[in-house]
Amino acid sequence: MHDHTAKPQTKAEPSTRVFAVLAEFPSGDEMLEAARKVRDAGYTKWDTHSPYPVHGIDEAMGIRRTILPTIVFVCGLTGALTGLALQWWTSSVYYPVIVSGKPMFSLPANIPIIFELTVLFSAFGAVFGMFALNGLPSLYHGIFNSGRFNSRMSTDRFYISIEAADPKFNRDSARKLLESIGGQSVEVVEERAAVEFPPMLRKWGITALLVLGAFALLPPLYTLRARTRTSEVTRMQLIWDMDQQPRFRAQMKNPLFADGRAMRPQVPGTVARGEAFADDHLHRGLVDGRFAATNALPVTESLLQRGRKKFDIYCAQCHGLDGLGQGMISVRAERLQEGTWVPPLSLHDEVVRTREDGHIFNTITNGIRTMPPYGDQIRVEDRWAIVAYVRALQRSQNATLEDVPSDRRGELP
Amino acid sequence: MRHPADISGESRRLDALAPKLMGMAGGVGLLGLIISVALAFMTEDGVRRAYHAYMVNFCYFLSISLGGLFFTLIQHLSRAGWSVVVRRLSEAVGANTLVMLVLFIPILLGMHHLFPWTSAELLQNDPVLQWKQPYLNAPFFLIRCAVYFGVWCGLSYFLLKRSLDQDASRDPKITLSMERMSAPGLIAFAITLTFASFDFLMSRDYHWFSTIFGVYFFAGSFLSFMAILPVILLFLKSNGRLRHAVSAEHYHDIGKLLFAMNVFWAYIAFSQFMLIWYANLPEETGWYHRRITGDWLNLSYALLFGHFIIPFLGLIGRVSKRRLRLLTPWAVWVLAMHWLDLYWLAMPEYWLRVEGAPVGTIPFSLLDLSTFLGIGGIWVAVLALWLRDHSLIPEGDPRLAESLAFENA
């Protein structure tokens, strides 16, 4: 609208309302005295203003003790528990990695993080809790509509303001009270009825935001450009040392060592974790240098089930599911008339039946004739499980009446 | 602002209390020492055991005295106003380093019982000891001890004497001179306390080393002074002294420092433990291994819970700091834990390098109690002696009015 008559209307005095009654005091002590009287008069929405913190103002204003310490304590406790849970879950549940040979979950190693998170959460609780309790951030406060307040509050004067929002508020009685308790230059502070954005801020603020926003877009745009193009220029290396680390790669020479090898051979006698093979019975099937007569593990139903599973995976291809030597590979090799093929021995053969458990274990581990070794493929416990299952298979083919439980012998045909 | 507390009508001197206290505490002290000597010669390996008990309790009361000296120094350095009403007490506690100097003589006589590095036989067979010999030898040890006690006694006597002078002259320049002394004084204090803790406690297992050990001893030292202060105040108050001068506002700050130092102790103790635990180097872990073997593990857990977690929860609230009758039980608890801490620091080495020693057992003995009473009694009697003819607060301090009106914002 370009109507000239509209202009005076926008310039017209906006309607105002009372924000507070304000009184000035020359010293902190006088303000403190007066504050006690305002408190005793029963006002609830009122405030004191001072250039510096005044001791005893909490008591004089009747302010209750803040709940901030409780907030901080709860935040700190949350931080401690978060730190504990975070480390427990990441390091021992989700991605368990052994570090320095310590247990997956070890409290001493976790304490520093727990401590840091306790401090961090407490600090957040203290800062943001203080903001929230004080109603911050606040971009507008009605008291700044007083010119006198603006010019002297932060230098050498003390003020008490009783706000219109107080349920007891009455312009005249508030004024009378403040004057009676020694308040000087008592004034009624008025504010605009509708809070407006200052035109200056609106004009320049929006421009500044747009310019800043445009600048903020530059880095992602630059990244986008780099990602969609190819270039012959070497990529920018901001931290050169990190991109070009001096190090020896596999098969390189290293003059530091007498043999010139960068890849270092193992120190003689090195044993990898869990590969000490200290137990002769368990790892070699030997007892006193002879094949062990018994299984190295206690034979249980679950061990037999495990053995059956592994047997069906690794052994049945040649030996057959029943152990008679009619596995798919053997059958096919015979059909193709392979000259080198030696058919596997039936596991029910007297030779195998009389062999010790340790001997069978040794055969699985190291192989025999054309049978390859399985020591690298099947875990040691599983090899013993297979031995136990082979024993069960043999028994199934050579069972006597005594093997059937006496109460179920009647079911036999 | 609170108006300064009116102290015109209250009793600020020990008066009749002083001779009574000196007589009783001194009597208990002498009796304790006599019983200790008797026990030492009557029991098997008693002399060596007695020296160990004496060492624990010597370090205990030395740490409290040094805490008092540190408190006085830091108040002067920061030009603190709040603490003026309790500063005379810290000056007197600090001046007790003088009696600790006298009580140090038995330790010099029993060096070969307490410090295995004095043994010529060990020196010949132990390359580690040969390496450390330029530091760990008796003449240099004596020189160092002379420096330590020179610094402590000199500083604390200066601070007490000047403060007493000010009672009469009311000269504010004296405050300035004490403030000027406090900065170099604190540096000298830090260095001497660190090396003293190395010499008195750490060198008992001379293979072991921990650079944080001095800070650990300092944490316990300042903590124990902050804990003995409420005890002294409650004693004075219940005898009608300093009724108005020291208020809940002062207890509150004392309680805050007590709480803070307790957390600081835990922080330092854990810092020392974690680095050694994580690196897992044999030359460092041996010291801790002794303390987690057998019954010592229980004592270690007792420290973790009793010295940190329980008082942490007890002292975190506002009420327990502002009421002297609530604060003092916690202070006594912390004092007991500090004793246990020093026992834990000094005593496991009792079995070190002993043939057929029952490793893992705690050698509790009646001597621990008798030497405690012996040194403690004399310590209290001398404390009363410093305060006998003087006011319990620094009457002439220019910040006295500020302290009397002190208020936590």
Side-chain angles (χ1 to χ4, degrees), chain B residues 187-205:
Chain B
I187 294 171
F189 174 86
I191 294 170
T192 49
L193 176 128
T194 304
F195 279 91
S197 70
F198 288 174
D199 285 346
F200 297 170
L201 290 166
M202 197 167 92
S203 81
R204 307 226 317 97
D205 173 10

Side-chain angles (χ1 to χ4, degrees), chain B residues 85-153:
Chain B
V85 289
V86 294
R87 218 189 55 225
R88 175 59 45 79
L89 300 176
S90 78
E91 284 160 359
V93 169
N96 262 9
T97 46
L98 282 152
V99 71
M100 295 322 287
L101 171 61
V102 179
L103 290 167
F104 188 62
I105 295 167
I107 289 182
L108 290 179
L109 296 176
M111 265 177 77
H112 57 289
H113 288 302
L114 289 165
F115 304 112
W117 49 261
T118 50
S119 153
E121 189 193 347
L122 274 174
L123 179 63
Q124 213 153 40
N125 303 320
D126 193 337
V128 176
L129 187 52
Q130 284 159 18
W131 180 255
K132 296 189 177 184
Q133 199 265 340
Y135 182 85
L136 286 180
N137 60 71
F140 191 31
F141 178 83
L142 294 177
I143 294 171
R144 286 199 303 273
C145 290
V147 174
Y148 304 154
F149 280 100
V151 169
W152 299 337
C153 297

